[in-house]
Amino acid sequence: MMLRRILREPLLHFTLAALVIFAAYGVLTPYESPRGEIVVTAPKIEQLAAVFAKTWQRPPSPQELKGLIDGYVKEEIDVQEALALGLDQGDAVIRRRLQQKIEFMTDAGTDAVKPTDGELQAYLDAHPAKFEIAAQTGFQQIFLNSDQRGQRVDAEATSILAKLQADPALEPVAFGDASLLPAEMPLTDISSIGETFGPEFAAAVRAAPPGAWIGPVASSFGLHLVRVSEHTSGRMPALGEVRDLVLREFANDRRQASEDERLNMLLKRYRVVIQAPEADANP
């Protein structure tokens, strides 16, 4: 009776059916040899442990390290299977990533060679436009709001200017209208002044003599009374003043030259065919 009850159990039937299917699959499916060898080197294990320690501020436990290794093996298997299936083909993201890795390899070799001061000075001399310190002007300004003052703005500007010229010690803040514009600009290049106040204002300020109030000077905001504090001329800096900038530009140019040279060399290995699109039959 017990044997009959066991034989009628659905779980037993399911288990037997699964064993039969598994056995049949093993007989009918040919054995596939491994696609390749996956070697988890000691340096790779050290790298996995180092990344873990940097993230969690402690070394991994033996169990955690085993999990890291297992994860790496799974990643390698998935990558090899994906490559075997051609899943990398036609994927713009993968293509771009591969290109970046090649470029990184080239850049690493180029950046390893540090330029001398002589090379940096020669680069500075050969590219003055990149590093020239532009002419600069510092000034104070009093803003007169045309919308608030209306038709009186010109007469009031003339009156305020006369007072300031008669007594340069007067506080400018007592005469201006509220605005978000800076009341005083430190030494600033003319292009930046033009971006804030407008090019005509910048030209007028650059032409004004230092020390005296002038105006009214029109800007894109309204009228201003202006007193220039200082003008400086454009000049070429010494290497010590712009060393970091020169080093960055030098490295960028050398990196680009190295990339161009690499590409020209590789192009010799390929025959490039560019197929022009067919002309529209009905222009």
Side-chain angles (χ1 to χ4, degrees):
M1 292 291 292
M2 181 66 67
L3 180 60
R4 288 182 183 179
R5 291 178 59 185
I6 294 174
L7 291 176
R8 286 201 298 265
E9 280 291 332
L11 180 59
L12 176 63
H13 299 164
F14 177 81
T15 303
L16 292 174
L19 291 172
V20 171
I21 293 172
F22 181 79
Y25 180 82
V27 172
L28 298 176
T29 304
Y31 171 75
E32 292 188 5
S33 60
R35 295 192 187 278
E37 186 178 36
I38 296 176
V39 179
V40 186
T41 64
K44 185 62 185 179
I45 295 174
E46 292 175 0
Q47 180 190 24
L48 294 172
V51 172
F52 182 97
K54 185 176 181 180
T55 303
W56 298 102
Q57 300 299 308
R58 63 174 178 81
S61 66
Q63 184 177 0
E64 289 168 333
L65 184 59
K66 179 181 181 304
L68 294 173
I69 296 172
D70 291 346
Y72 173 74
V73 171
K74 179 182 183 302
E75 176 186 309
E76 283 295 307
I77 291 174
D78 288 342
V79 169
Q80 291 194 24
E81 290 297 312
L83 292 175
L85 293 172
L87 299 183
D88 58 317
Q89 302 299 316
D91 190 312
V93 175
I94 293 178
R95 288 170 59 88
R96 179 56 186 156
R97 182 59 180 156
L98 292 174
Q99 181 188 24
Q100 287 177 337
K101 294 194 76 169
I102 288 290
E103 292 175 350
F104 289 158
M105 291 171 60
T106 304
D107 292 347
T110 302
D111 294 342
V113 182
K114 301 301 181 183
T116 64
D117 283 354
E119 290 175 316
L120 294 178
Q121 183 64 57
Y123 185 84
L124 173 61
D125 295 339
H127 302 85
K130 285 186 175 183
F131 308 106
E132 181 181 8
I133 296 177
Q136 296 181 320
T137 294
F139 63 92
Q140 294 172 287
Q141 65 86 22
I142 299 172
F143 174 62
L144 303 176
N145 193 319
S146 301
D147 293 336
Q148 292 181 10
R149 296 175 184 262
Q151 296 181 350
R152 308 186 317 273
V153 65
D154 290 320
E156 291 178 355
T158 302
S159 174
I160 294 171
L161 179 61
K163 293 177 182 179
L164 291 170
Q165 290 175 337
D167 186 0
L170 290 174
E171 286 293 334
V173 69
F175 299 100
D177 297 324
S179 77
L180 296 178
L181 296 170
E184 185 169 354
M185 291 283 286
L187 282 174
T188 306
D189 62 81
I190 298 303
S191 61
S192 297
I193 295 173
E195 290 174 0
T196 302
F197 293 90
E200 295 180 357
F201 178 95
V205 168
R206 184 63 186 173
W213 285 99
I214 65 166
V217 180
S219 76
S220 53
F221 302 99
L223 296 181
H224 305 259
L225 301 177
V226 178
R227 178 168 62 183
V228 171
S229 57
E230 184 180 2
H231 290 305
T232 63
S233 301
R235 65 181 180 87
M236 280 300 299
L239 177 60
E241 296 178 79
V242 289
R243 180 184 179 84
D244 290 344
L245 178 59
V246 174
L247 181 60
R248 185 182 68 200
E249 293 298 319
F250 178 90
N252 288 340
D253 281 7
R254 187 168 66 173
R255 196 176 297 119
Q256 185 61 53
S258 178
E259 175 62 18
D260 292 343
E261 181 180 356
R262 182 187 70 85
L263 180 59
N264 289 333
M265 180 185 67
L266 292 176
L267 279 171
K268 298 176 182 178
R269 304 179 185 178
Y270 296 86
R271 176 174 173 266
V272 179
V273 178
I274 300 175
Q275 297 180 343
E278 296 182 2
D280 193 341
N282 299 307

